[in-house]
Amino acid sequence: MSANGAMAGAGSVKGWCPGALKPMQTGDGLIVRVRPRGGMLTPTQMLALCRIARTYGNGHIDLTRRANLQVRGVRNEVLPRVWAALADCGLIDTSAEAEAVRNVLVSPLAGLDPTEICDVRPIAAALEQELEQNQALWALPGKFGFVVDGGGLLALNEERADICLKAIRTGSGDAAIAVGIDAPGVTEWLALVEQRAAHAAAVDVAIAFLSVSRGEQRARMRDLGAGAIAQLKRLLPASLQSVSELRFDLISSSGNSIGAITAQGRSIAVGLGLPFGRIKSDRLETLVAEASSLGIHELRLSPWRVLYVPVECMRDGETLSDVAASCGFITGPRHPLMAIDACPGKSACVSGFIDTRSIAHAFAEAMPMAGISSVHVSGCGKGCARSKPADVVLVGTPSGIGVIRNGAASDAPHTIVALDDVARLPALVKSGA
Ligand code: SF4
């Protein structure tokens, strides 16, 4: 394996995501991010990752917004040992370049959910393989991503991606795959293809994107203007130009993403939330050991910071939920902490001005609040934990906690609250200040 660029420019380069072979330098050491294939991993792989976090990192595992797992606080000198441990359990790519472009988000219940339109795991696997092996695709920008969505209970309707493959039901009742691109504000659907042709269609669109973006490393699909989009479409094969206006209704997902997941009268999985996307590795090990003892052979990752454990009966789900609750997972729906994004803050990041997690916990005690469904607590204006706007943003500044309504961490605060006045924040927000 090569680790080209593992250290070069780490921490100073923007517009790319860390990987395992190309970790990113932060205030608390390196971030080593692992992309499990198909968004799933075995208990053995998860236990290996826990050991890495405990031995070489800060002892925590983070579940990211792209359904990846990461370990923070890793030192440069232990990287070869981390890579060897990841290689031993099949969690590493053959090159940093392949790893960087293998950015595929898959429905977390693919193949488990009897209400899904089709099982998209083969499409995702074929696409990941193509991204790994087709070196022409390695020129894609660092954050360029794909969504492969089979629909069903936990459809990925809210997840943006440069290229989207979405299962839909045709008029004849068959499953087909809609191929879409991320235009400003919407997904523009280009064509319908058969399931077996879907991964190749995504590759065709990616190659066309590279032609029109001319290798600009930070360009994303949504950055292309109307002329470039028209040019991209002209470069596609005829099979992807056959539909001039493809419209369909997205079937909304159940929204029941935490706790017991049932479909057609039977248990299929249990969803376990990680507060702020983080769990201590020893607690995760306890949960995984319990899952293994129940004969469970895989764990599924989601982009909304919920881990899914497939179960075949309600009793196994209840057993896992009880163990997970004792380990610090969120096991019930509508928990206020799941509405809050918070970066590690000043305890872990040199850029942080505030202790984000304690402020988030204090704010959660005042929730639910009318009209507030998303809160972002950010250690500084960079806003690492959330790219989308939130109903309320509490952001660290040199002079205190900035309060922003309906905005992002980089926006100018409406009000600054002194650090020793945190208890006043909920009342201030409720008053609309
Ligand atoms: S938002 Fe700021 S404080 Fe938080 S992790 Fe990012 S750089 Fe660090």
Side-chain angles (χ1 to χ4, degrees):
M1 79 189 65
S2 85
N4 295 352
M7 295 297 101
S12 59
V13 181
K14 304 288 191 294
W16 57 278
C17 294
L21 291 170
K22 188 179 179 185
M24 181 181 281
Q25 187 72 51
T26 66
D28 57 335
L30 295 169
I31 295 176
V32 174
R33 186 173 293 174
V34 172
R35 297 184 171 91
R37 287 174 173 74
M40 66 180 79
L41 65 175
T42 65
T44 302
Q45 289 175 319
M46 188 67 102
L47 290 173
L49 201 54
C50 289
R51 275 194 299 278
I52 289 169
R54 189 160 29 81
T55 311
Y56 304 116
N58 64 6
H60 292 87
I61 300 276
D62 295 328
L63 174 55
T64 76
R65 287 274 178 203
R66 297 301 294 179
N68 298 148
L69 293 168
Q70 71 185 23
V71 175
R72 296 183 71 112
V74 176
R75 288 174 291 113
N76 280 316
E77 55 268 33
V78 302
L79 268 180
R81 278 176 268 166
V82 170
W83 290 334
L86 289 172
D88 280 348
C89 64
L91 281 176
I92 205 156
D93 289 85
T94 50
S95 72
E97 293 82 1
E99 171 189 76
V101 295
R102 199 172 53 74
N103 189 8
V104 181
L105 193 55
V106 190
S107 312
L109 298 183
L112 300 172
D113 178 0
T115 72
E116 69 187 355
I117 294 171
C118 69
D119 179 359
V120 290
R121 289 176 299 176
I123 298 172
L127 178 57
E128 290 197 68
Q129 188 178 21
E130 188 75 21
L131 289 164
E132 273 182 290
Q133 295 177 355
N134 183 344
Q135 295 190 16
L137 295 169
W138 294 359
L140 287 169
K143 294 198 170 194
F144 197 92
F146 301 79
V147 158
V148 184
D149 182 10
L153 291 173
L154 299 180
L156 297 172
N157 294 341
E158 306 297 321
E159 304 305 320
R160 290 183 75 177
D162 296 276
I163 298 176
C164 182
L165 300 177
K166 180 172 284 292
I168 66 163
R169 196 69 72 197
T170 65
S172 62
D174 295 332
I177 303 296
V179 182
I181 57 173
D182 189 24
V186 293
T187 299
E188 182 174 348
W189 299 104
L190 301 176
L192 266 189
V193 297
E194 293 181 19
Q195 293 174 53
R196 61 194 163 94
H199 79 278
V203 171
D204 286 336
V205 178
I207 295 287
F209 168 84
L210 283 170
S211 294
V212 299
S213 67
R214 298 187 176 85
E216 163 56 52
Q217 260 306 296
R218 293 205 201 159
R220 300 290 300 274
M221 192 68 81
R222 58 177 176 261
D223 300 325
L224 298 182
I229 291 284
Q231 189 188 353
L232 178 149
K233 289 177 182 173
R234 283 195 296 275
L235 291 171
L236 295 175
S239 59
L240 296 179
Q241 298 182 3
S242 56
V243 183
S244 56
E245 279 214 18
L246 178 61
R247 293 187 190 280
F248 53 87
D249 295 327
L250 295 178
I251 301 167
S252 60
S253 52
S254 70
N256 174 25
S257 64
I258 295 191
I261 311 286
T262 59
Q264 298 178 350
R266 66 180 178 84
S267 297
I268 57 171
V270 58
L272 307 170
L274 283 71
F276 315 125
R278 168 168 287 196
I279 195 77
K280 280 191 166 174
S281 54
D282 57 349
R283 296 181 178 189
L284 183 53
E285 283 175 299
T286 301
L287 177 79
V288 175
E290 184 66 32
S292 287
S293 75
L294 294 171
I296 290 162
H297 54 82
E298 65 181 20
L299 306 155
R300 302 288 188 92
L301 309 175
S302 77
W304 42 79
R305 296 180 169 172
V306 178
L307 176 72
Y308 291 95
V309 187
V311 293
E312 291 185 351
C313 67
M314 196 172 289
R315 199 172 59 184
D316 285 358
E318 288 169 354
T319 302
L320 278 171
S321 277
D322 289 346
V323 172
S326 70
C327 291
F329 287 88
I330 293 168
T331 57
R334 291 178 290 283
H335 194 291
L337 284 184
M338 293 306 289
I340 303 180
D341 293 301
C343 74
K346 83 171 180 185
S347 62
C349 177
V350 288
S351 302
F353 294 106
I354 57 175
D355 182 351
T356 48
R357 304 280 161 95
S358 69
I359 291 170
H361 277 283
F363 198 82
E365 287 178 16
M367 292 183 71
M369 287 185 209
I372 294 176
S373 58
S374 57
V375 177
H376 180 185
V377 186
S378 186
C380 75
K382 191 174 173 198
C384 296
R386 184 183 173 99
S387 51
K388 291 188 284 196
D391 296 333
V392 174
V393 182
L394 306 175
V395 58
T397 75
S399 50
I401 305 166
V403 181
I404 299 160
R405 296 300 303 267
N406 305 315
S410 55
D411 294 342
H414 309 304
T415 314
I416 304 272
V417 174
L419 281 177
D420 58 3
D421 218 2
V422 170
R424 200 162 67 85
L425 283 170
L428 191 73
V429 168
K430 276 184 195 164
S431 73

